[in-house]
Amino acid sequence: MAMAKFPHLQLKRKIDGLYRPKKGGSKKILNSITKTNLDDRNRKGHGSGLLTNIDRLSEYWAGNLKARINQNLPELPGSGVVPVFLQVDTQDFDAESLKSFGIEIIAEEENGFIIGASADNFKSLREKINKFIKKEGKFKNKASQLWQINDGIKWRIEQILSDDLRAKWGQIQDADQLVVDVGIACYVKIPQQTEREDGDTDEKYQQRIDRWKQKKDKLDIERDTIARKRQTEFEEFVSAYGGELLGAYIDFDDSFSCRIRISGKGLKDIVLNYQYLFEVVEHDPLTITDISTGESDNIEPTLIPPEEGFPKVCVIDSGIQEEHRLLAPAIDAASSVSFVPSDTGTADVAGNGGHGTRVAGAVLYPSQIPRTGEYPLPCFIQNAKVLTSISEETRLPENLYPPELMKDIVDRFNGTRIFNMSINSYNPCKVIHMSQWASAIDKLMFENDILFILSAGNLVNMSGNPLKPRIKEHLNAGRNYPEYLLESSSRIADPAQSSFALTVGSVCFTKFDNDLKESFGAKDDPSSFSRTGLGLWGMIKPDVVEYAGDVVKEKNVSPNLSYEAAISPELVKSTYGGGNGVGNDSVGTSYAAPKVSHIAANLQRLYPEESANLFRALIVQSARLPGSIFSNPEIKHICYYGYGIPDLRRATENSEKRITLIASDDLSAKKAKVYALKVPEQLRRPGEDYDILIEVTLSFMARPRRTRRRTQSYLSTWLDWESSKLNENDDQFASRILKDMEEPEERDEDQNSIKWFIRERKDWSKIKDLRRQDSTVQKSWCIVKSYQLPEIFSLAVIGHKGWECDLNEKVPYSIAVSFEALNANINVYEMIRVENEIPLPAEIEQEISVGRT
């Protein structure tokens, strides 16, 4: 790729420092339930009720252990540990403080419910509750925030099982053999890192830091020891029922997960009694759900192979027809591998023109396959075959455990930065905890600085099950397009909810309409099959959308569904089963994702030394909601489109009317980095009335953990960004962000704040019920009049504490800011570049000089 005439420029950092979190505002109001429990008239009754339920649970557990002996059941690991399900005040109760109640947190669930385990038969918990009743001690009121304790274990079926497994629970026979993925907690609480106190000398503070690090190291070793012990005990428990592990353990900081095959009897025992269990999901075969439909040929371009050093895109799929004339020059054949047991071949096993072959072609030819002329191929394609053909279905074998498989692929393709995976679960993702598969992708992305690009998943035409509605079931139930895309059954499919991966949905090319049939959508409308967001905990998912076709329906009351070549993407096809090598005969989000991988590969060519965060940031920065939605979006549009349709040109370069500035760095909790950009006087002079679009995108990654919920609890450290106000100079902004920790600040909205479409609070955002901090790619935009622009536009990237107690741990980020004149032909690029004394890259400067001579 030749150097762009208007390349992205470096955003200058002004200052670093401590961040002072916002304080002050109105006094916190107690939750009504907590307030009632504190009332002297209710105090004893609340405490006594908790104690009664504890006694009942203890009695039940003791009887359960005796019954196990009488029934000759396998010994339960840690039989003295009692599982418990309780609810706390989410407003005021810190779940981590349950340790002082003698409760190990197994998992945090919705609405303040906690799955826990007591190793002291509730001795500590009873003491705390008795002190609450008697009003004794420093924390005499804490038990008011402990709302209820369940006195049995039936809750485990509802809380631990996946929807599919729970639905069939009553029909599982003891002799049945099931393959399930399990999540097991293993968490050791680390104390907060000591902070510098007034009067501390450097030496004294360092001594306290060293003591804290020694304690943390010891607890880390303890955690690893406990994990190994629980893994050994769990394997023995599974083996006692004739079960087996299918693959290795996948380890997170607070848990580990694995895939097992086990009898129905053994599964019931594990679910109901194994104390450290928080998740059981039945194996999903992950069959391909793209929808197949004209053919085209007579395509004879002259393909220019990728040059040495060009990016490599690993396609994780059904294999690839590597000798295909439109793919062969780009195939990195030496790296091809099949991860399917007992199948060493890497050819595409999907029927009807293949699947991995189509996906690989869409990486190389994102718009249309050239008929003639020279076409330089943008990257190498690597083939990671993971799907196999079983009974005419292309699926993932059950002995390939997705989290372990992802790690094996990343290890095998060491050095590859971009991984395209157009494979999803058949059902919508769960929304309480990040799945094992998605968490593994997040962990690998953070540890290896790589980018996964994922399809959002598809709604097939018909499921045959009204409880799992697809397109036809929605229509039969009176749910119309596009509203049915907002139903929970249409939510993105695992692993598309991954926090760090770029998830891609689909939009329509154009409208189809004849006497008999019509498409659901018109140009730029969401595809009728494309799964939608939001993702977990308010995350914006899909991140972006691309053109991948639509379905057509008959014009009658109960329409049949079909497909038309005129509104389907043109794709490279496998010819193993005969037929043409190119066709418009399949639609699906599988073919939207590789179009984004194409943009990512171009970005890697431009910025080979940059982090994957910059690729994420620039792809999202280039995205735009279609048509009038861009200036008047609602939350439903974000669910359909994410941030919109990305654009290769905006992602990689600018124009006279647009400038993009970028920066990459790392940051720790309670720190901030401030950037400043001078706005030229001629751009903001009174009397001028240009519409200026300002866009900002922050991308970051951190270490994940699985047993908690909400973005800020899932991540070790989390970041967000804040901008200066319209009437605020750079010194005032820096002072506001970095001022002394003790000085309070009001939380009311300032009328001089820039009215970003997505703000730091849901009630401030123009798009209601969204906030930036819930996502790890945080984009917002605004349109301001040029005369309103400040003399200096400032941005701060701010670090916040997640679950990691080491405040010095740094997480990487990239940020992009763009200014664009929407309704005027003015040279914004050169004005801002010159005003900020930013030099052009030497190649461009030389080109300009030659042009002048």
Side-chain angles (χ1 to χ4, degrees):
M1 174 178 280
M3 175 67 74
K5 185 177 179 182
F6 299 98
H8 302 327
L9 303 176
Q10 283 297 310
L11 182 62
K12 294 182 178 179
R13 193 166 81 238
K14 175 183 172 65
I15 193 171
D16 301 350
L18 287 171
Y19 168 61
R20 190 211 62 76
K22 292 180 179 179
K23 297 181 180 180
S26 57
K27 186 177 179 181
K28 186 178 288 187
I29 300 173
L30 281 177
N31 182 281
S32 59
I33 297 175
T34 299
K35 189 174 182 180
T36 298
N37 294 339
L38 280 170
D39 191 308
D40 285 345
R41 293 168 295 182
N42 304 312
R43 194 180 193 103
K44 184 176 180 180
H46 174 63
S48 298
L50 294 177
L51 290 172
T52 297
N53 279 6
I54 291 172
D55 290 341
R56 287 174 179 166
L57 180 56
S58 296
E59 184 180 346
Y60 167 81
W61 191 251
N64 182 42
L65 295 178
K66 288 180 181 178
R68 295 183 66 85
I69 296 172
N70 294 336
Q71 296 169 21
N72 200 30
L73 293 177
E75 183 179 355
L76 192 66
S79 57
V81 177
V82 186
V84 61
F85 190 55
L86 45 86
Q87 186 183 24
V88 300
D89 182 344
T90 56
Q91 177 179 293
D92 293 314
F93 191 90
D94 178 9
E96 300 295 331
S97 67
L98 281 171
K99 182 180 179 182
S100 65
F101 287 71
I103 303 294
E104 176 184 344
I105 301 174
I106 304 304
E108 181 185 0
E109 305 296 302
E110 292 184 296
N111 302 317
F113 284 101
I114 304 287
I115 298 175
S118 171
D120 64 356
N121 197 25
F122 302 110
K123 178 184 176 183
S124 301
L125 183 56
R126 284 189 175 94
E127 289 175 355
K128 287 284 194 301
I129 295 171
N130 280 315
K131 287 185 176 181
F132 167 75
I133 294 172
K134 298 174 182 178
K135 295 185 181 181
E136 294 177 352
K138 182 179 179 182
F139 301 105
K140 60 181 180 293
N141 293 329
K142 201 65 182 172
S144 65
Q145 299 164 6
L146 180 56
W147 288 353
Q148 59 174 303
I149 298 173
N150 193 291
D151 62 359
I153 62 168
K154 291 182 180 179
W155 56 268
R156 294 178 68 84
I157 296 172
E158 180 69 26
Q159 296 298 322
I160 292 175
L161 297 181
S162 64
D163 293 343
D164 282 354
L165 203 51
R166 186 166 58 249
K168 64 188 291 186
W169 186 251
Q171 286 75 51
I172 296 175
Q173 303 299 310
D174 285 355
D176 290 348
Q177 290 291 311
L178 297 99
V179 175
V180 295
D181 299 337
V182 300
I184 297 167
C186 183
Y187 173 63
V188 172
K189 189 177 187 302
I190 307 293
Q192 294 291 333
Q193 179 184 322
T194 183
E195 295 190 46
R196 192 163 195 141
E197 298 176 356
D198 291 341
D200 268 359
T201 63
D202 290 345
E203 181 181 7
K204 184 177 180 181
Y205 177 59
Q206 188 59 51
Q207 287 173 350
R208 290 199 288 116
I209 288 289
D210 291 342
R211 287 195 297 271
W212 176 84
K213 285 182 176 178
Q214 290 172 4
K215 187 173 184 179
K216 179 180 183 297
D217 290 344
K218 188 180 296 185
L219 290 172
D220 285 339
I221 294 171
E222 178 185 335
R223 185 266 169 202
D224 291 343
T225 302
I226 293 172
R228 287 192 296 270
K229 182 174 184 290
R230 288 185 185 174
Q231 288 170 3
T232 300
E233 291 175 343
F234 183 70
E235 285 185 53
E236 291 172 350
F237 198 41
V238 170
S239 296
Y241 282 103
E244 62 176 332
L245 263 69
L246 301 177
Y249 292 105
I250 299 299
D251 198 35
F252 294 87
D253 285 83
D254 63 341
S255 62
F256 57 87
S257 59
C258 63
R259 172 167 288 181
I260 63 173
R261 181 186 286 111
I262 194 167
S263 67
K265 183 178 181 180
L267 179 64
K268 292 174 184 177
D269 195 3
I270 288 171
V271 169
L272 292 175
N273 296 301
Y274 184 58
Q275 306 94 319
Y276 306 113
L277 189 73
F278 70 92
E279 177 184 56
V280 181
V281 181
E282 188 172 17
H283 158 62
D284 189 326
L286 305 174
T287 54
I288 292 174
T289 58
D290 298 299
I291 306 157
S292 294
T293 164
E295 304 280 348
S296 59
D297 215 334
N298 300 320
I299 295 174
E300 296 292 342
T302 301
L303 300 178
I304 303 173
E307 298 176 14
E308 185 179 352
F310 268 34
K312 298 174 181 178
V313 176
C314 179
V315 175
I316 305 169
D317 216 284
S318 60
I320 298 171
Q321 184 182 1
E322 297 183 4
E323 70 276 15
H324 195 294
R325 59 191 174 89
L326 293 173
L327 303 181
I331 296 295
D332 177 16
S335 69
S336 300
V337 62
S338 171
F339 291 89
V340 179
S342 73
D343 180 6
T344 59
T346 57
D348 195 341
V349 297
N352 299 318
H355 190 265
T357 300
R358 298 179 196 260
V359 171
V363 175
L364 300 176
Y365 311 102
S367 299
Q368 187 179 35
I369 299 168
R371 267 53 185 170
T372 60
E374 292 187 345
Y375 184 82
L377 295 167
C379 61
F380 291 99
I381 297 293
Q382 296 177 315
N383 182 3
K385 179 179 172 180
V386 300
L387 301 180
T388 188
S389 183
I390 302 174
S391 301
E392 298 185 358
E393 278 191 327
T394 305
R395 58 171 61 187
L396 190 74
E398 68 178 26
N399 50 358
L400 285 183
Y401 176 42
E404 182 186 8
L405 177 62
M406 296 300 100
K407 184 178 186 304
D408 290 345
I409 290 171
V410 171
D411 289 346
R412 175 64 180 258
F413 292 93
N414 183 30
T416 298
R417 306 285 306 284
I418 302 166
F419 294 81
N420 187 104
M421 187 165 66
S422 294
I423 305 170
N424 297 87
S425 171
Y426 181 74
N427 296 313
C429 68
K430 295 178 68 176
V431 295
I432 298 178
H433 298 289
M434 192 66 73
S435 73
Q436 298 172 31
W437 193 1
S439 297
I441 290 172
D442 287 341
K443 187 169 186 268
L444 289 166
M445 284 185 61
F446 171 71
E447 292 175 348
N448 297 278
D449 187 25
I450 55 177
L451 175 60
F452 270 76
I453 297 174
L454 308 174
S455 53
N458 302 314
L459 296 174
V460 296
N461 285 356
M462 180 181 290
S463 69
N465 182 352
L467 299 178
K468 297 181 179 180
R470 300 302 183 254
I471 299 175
K472 195 69 181 286
E473 283 86 7
H474 282 303
L475 297 179
N476 291 342
R479 293 185 287 269
N480 295 322
Y481 166 89
E483 286 75 20
Y484 70 71
L485 294 174
L486 301 176
E487 296 287 323
S488 61
S489 59
S490 301
R491 189 170 54 246
I492 55 175
D494 194 22
Q497 73 274 31
S498 160
S499 181
F500 305 149
L502 283 179
T503 299
V504 189
S506 175
V507 290
C508 305
F509 287 103
T510 188
K511 179 71 177 177
F512 179 89
D513 195 347
N514 65 17
D515 292 340
L516 300 176
K517 297 182 290 187
E518 65 178 340
S519 59
F520 283 84
K523 179 176 170 55
D524 296 337
D525 287 343
S527 300
S528 55
F529 53 78
S530 185
R531 288 187 173 276
T532 62
L534 297 173
L536 270 67
W537 317 314
M539 285 188 198
I540 292 179
K541 292 286 176 178
D543 296 274
V544 293
V545 291
E546 264 288 4
Y547 296 100
D550 196 18
V551 175
V552 297
K553 59 180 179 176
E554 294 174 342
K555 295 181 177 180
N556 56 44
V557 176
S558 182
N560 291 314
L561 308 180
S562 58
Y563 318 97
E564 289 290 336
I567 57 171
S568 301
E570 183 175 68
L571 300 166
V572 176
K573 291 177 57 181
S574 166
T575 59
Y576 289 146
N580 291 344
V582 172
N584 302 65
D585 61 350
S586 188
V587 298
T589 58
S590 287
Y591 314 126
K595 296 184 177 190
V596 176
S597 294
H598 176 87
I599 299 175
N602 278 278
L603 285 168
Q604 188 182 339
R605 284 172 60 192
L606 277 176
Y607 304 104
E609 303 302 321
E610 276 284 359
S611 76
N613 275 315
L614 184 65
F615 307 159
R616 296 170 76 212
L618 288 174
I619 290 169
V620 169
Q621 182 79 344
S622 77
R624 196 160 290 181
L625 294 168
S628 60
I629 295 173
F630 174 67
S631 56
N632 193 30
E634 300 174 27
I635 191 168
K636 66 180 181 181
H637 299 123
I638 303 299
C639 293
Y640 296 146
Y641 299 103
Y643 293 110
I645 305 168
D647 180 85
L648 175 61
R649 183 166 183 178
R650 281 197 297 265
T652 56
E653 58 179 312
N654 299 276
S655 66
E656 287 187 349
K657 297 170 63 173
R658 178 182 174 89
I659 185 171
T660 300
L661 300 105
I662 56 176
S664 296
D665 209 330
D666 53 33
L667 191 62
S668 56
K670 299 189 177 183
K671 299 287 181 64
K673 296 192 175 181
V674 178
Y675 299 85
L677 184 69
K678 298 177 183 177
V679 180
E681 189 276 332
Q682 63 264 45
L683 191 59
R684 53 186 171 80
R685 63 166 62 107
E688 300 293 1
D689 194 23
Y690 312 131
D691 282 337
I692 302 297
L693 169 67
I694 309 175
E695 298 170 292
V696 177
T697 301
L698 171 69
S699 167
F700 72 94
M701 292 187 275
R703 282 190 295 138
R705 69 175 180 180
R706 293 202 58 238
T707 62
R708 305 301 192 269
R709 54 187 309 273
R710 295 185 298 273
T711 305
Q712 290 77 16
S713 297
Y714 178 63
L715 301 175
S716 57
T717 302
W718 60 277
L719 310 182
D720 68 351
W721 61 268
E722 192 168 334
S723 71
S724 56
K725 302 171 185 176
L726 291 173
N727 64 342
E728 190 174 38
N729 64 40
D730 57 327
D731 288 334
Q732 290 171 329
F733 175 69
S735 176
R736 175 164 65 88
I737 294 295
L738 307 176
K739 69 170 64 170
D740 185 85
M741 293 282 288
E742 300 303 317
E743 188 176 338
E745 179 178 306
E746 292 299 320
R747 296 181 63 88
D748 297 333
E749 182 181 14
D750 191 318
Q751 293 306 306
N752 289 308
S753 296
I754 295 176
K755 302 303 184 285
W756 299 102
F757 276 89
I758 305 175
R759 296 282 302 277
E760 59 272 28
R761 274 180 39 171
K762 292 181 179 181
D763 56 335
W764 291 356
S765 294
K766 283 191 174 183
I767 308 175
K768 296 303 179 186
D769 298 321
L770 279 181
R771 64 173 193 159
R772 290 196 298 261
Q773 301 96 308
D774 291 331
S775 300
T776 63
V777 179
Q778 301 171 8
K779 178 179 181 179
S780 197
W781 64 100
C782 64
I783 300 172
V784 298
K785 293 296 183 181
S786 55
Y787 60 81
Q788 293 179 312
L789 290 169
E791 183 177 347
I792 295 179
F793 175 80
S794 298
L795 281 173
V797 180
I798 302 163
H800 303 270
K801 185 184 176 303
W803 55 262
E804 175 56 62
C805 295
D806 185 351
L807 299 181
N808 292 318
E809 179 187 78
K810 293 184 177 182
V811 299
Y813 72 86
S814 293
I815 191 166
V817 55
S818 299
F819 283 70
E820 181 176 345
L822 294 180
N823 59 351
N825 191 21
I826 54 175
N827 197 336
V828 171
Y829 188 94
E830 193 64 9
M831 283 183 186
I832 292 180
R833 186 191 73 80
V834 171
E835 183 73 14
N836 289 272
E837 301 175 344
I838 303 173
L840 284 168
E843 182 178 332
I844 298 298
E845 192 65 58
Q846 184 179 17
E847 185 178 312
I848 292 173
S849 298
V850 170
R852 286 171 181 165
T853 59

